Amino acid sequence: MADNSQGSSSQSYWEGYKEFWSERFSFLENYSKFIKRDKPIPSWSSSDVEEFIASDPVHGPVSFLPFQLKSAREAVQFGIGGSALGALFTAGYAWKYSRSLHGAGLSFLAGGIFGWTFGHEIANHALQLYRVDTLTAEVKFLEWWNKKSGGY
C-alpha cells in the first residue's frame, strides 16, 4: 500500500514539474508548427527577408513588423560580434596566464557564451528591442515564407 502512494506521489510531482516548465517555455509553441515537420522549410536569403519587409502582406504598411524583423536580424550581428570578442579575449587571457590548453579551450567556450549574451543585451538597448515583440515578427515571417515557398 505504501509503494502505491509513493508511486502516485512521484507521478504527481513529475506532472507538476512538467507543467511548471511547460508554462515557462510556452513561447516555443509558436515555433512548433515550423520545427515539428516531416519536410523542413526551405532556406531563405536576405533578399527574401527584404521582400517580406517591403511587402508585409500580413499587417500592411503601417505595421511595426518590418522594423521588428529587421532589428531582430541586426541583433544577431551584435551577438556574433560579442561572441567572437568574448571567446578570443577570455581564451587569450587564460592562455597567457596558465599555458593550459584545456583551460584556454574552456575559457574560449565560456567567453563565447558570455559574449553572445552581452552582445544581445547591447543590441536590446541600442536597437530598443525591449519595446517590441520580436518573436511575433519572426513567426509572421516564417508563416509568410512557408506560404511563399509552398509549404502549406
Side-chain angles (χ1 to χ4, degrees):
M1 189 93 172
D3 291 336
N4 188 16
S5 66
Q6 185 180 9
S8 176
S9 174
S10 65
Q11 185 177 10
S12 65
Y13 174 77
W14 179 249
E15 291 299 321
Y17 184 78
K18 284 184 359 184
E19 182 181 332
F20 173 81
W21 285 109
S22 65
E23 288 175 8
R24 299 302 180 270
F25 289 100
S26 63
F27 65 90
L28 294 175
E29 293 173 7
N30 295 334
Y31 287 113
S32 65
K33 62 184 170 185
F34 304 112
I35 296 172
K36 298 176 183 176
R37 299 169 49 100
D38 295 332
K39 190 176 97 173
I41 297 176
S43 303
W44 59 84
S45 65
S46 58
S47 63
D48 296 319
V49 174
E50 293 298 326
E51 181 182 343
F52 173 73
I53 290 171
S55 66
D56 194 15
V58 178
H59 290 62
V62 279
S63 171
F64 288 112
L65 189 63
F67 165 74
Q68 293 174 7
L69 183 64
K70 190 170 187 144
S71 297
R73 301 279 176 184
E74 289 173 4
V76 172
Q77 299 302 320
F78 280 85
I80 291 171
S83 183
L85 285 172
L88 292 175
F89 278 118
T90 56
Y93 190 79
W95 182 254
K96 179 180 177 183
Y97 290 106
S98 72
R99 299 282 185 210
S100 168
L101 186 60
H102 68 281
L106 289 173
S107 295
F108 182 82
L109 290 174
I113 293 168
F114 299 149
W116 180 268
T117 303
F118 289 131
H120 269 282
E121 281 301 314
I122 291 169
N124 277 336
H125 292 287
L127 302 174
Q128 297 181 351
L129 293 177
Y130 55 87
R131 293 183 177 188
V132 295
D133 184 13
T134 56
L135 179 66
T136 303
E138 294 285 340
V139 169
K140 293 297 181 186
F141 171 74
L142 288 173
E143 287 173 352
W144 175 83
W145 178 244
N146 204 14
K147 287 178 186 174
K148 183 180 179 202
S149 63
Y152 280 130

